[in-house]
Amino acid sequence: MTLWMQQELRLKPVRRGFHLITQEVLQALPGLRRIKIGLLHVFIMHTSASVTINENADPDVPRDLEMAFNHIASEDLPYDHTLEGPDDMPAHVKSSMIGSSVTIPIRDGRLCLGTWQGIYVCEHRDHGGSRRLMLTAQGEAE
């Protein structure tokens, strides 16, 4: 039997940076455990934040990612789009580089993430506010 489920997940506001959300995603989709083989699509409904998969163990990784992306898309560049503040256009650049979605295989009711992988929301604004994710899981049920 093919099973589809979809849930909007509203995240609490977080500071600028990379934040693990794997557990929040799993808690929002308790029916995921019924899927024998399938896919989870995680889509962020914003243009100044993004989602990615990266190392989930060493706290230096998210700090280093934030530092590197701040270097790549500096607020000091001569942007034309400045009406929403100096952190807005760099946030759009970072979001375009990282992306608005990730897709993760599901096997036997569990996400097929590697040992050191986790799902991150990447907040690129100083005060981005609450962020919304659309979680869509599909697959063959047991």
Side-chain angles (χ1 to χ4, degrees), residues 51-142:
V51 292
T52 192
I53 294 173
N54 215 300
E55 162 147 0
N56 66 1
D58 187 340
D60 290 340
V61 171
R63 286 193 299 267
D64 286 347
L65 286 168
E66 177 66 13
M67 184 245 343
F69 275 96
N70 286 336
H71 178 75
I72 293 166
S74 169
E75 291 182 15
D76 297 332
L77 293 174
Y79 298 109
D80 290 328
H81 176 73
T82 58
L83 292 176
E84 296 178 56
D87 66 335
D88 188 49
M89 190 59 218
H92 293 306
V93 172
K94 295 170 190 176
S95 177
S96 288
M97 292 175 71
I98 296 171
S100 59
S101 68
V102 294
T103 303
I104 305 159
I106 302 166
R107 182 177 53 209
D108 296 328
R110 301 180 76 176
L111 296 180
C112 294
L113 291 168
T115 301
W116 306 112
Q117 289 182 317
I119 306 167
Y120 280 87
V121 66
C122 315
E123 178 55 68
H124 305 305
R125 299 289 314 264
D126 290 329
H127 305 286
S130 177
R131 298 300 190 173
R132 294 178 356 195
L133 301 175
M134 187 58 67
L135 311 174
T136 307
Q138 61 179 344
E140 291 300 315
E142 295 181 345

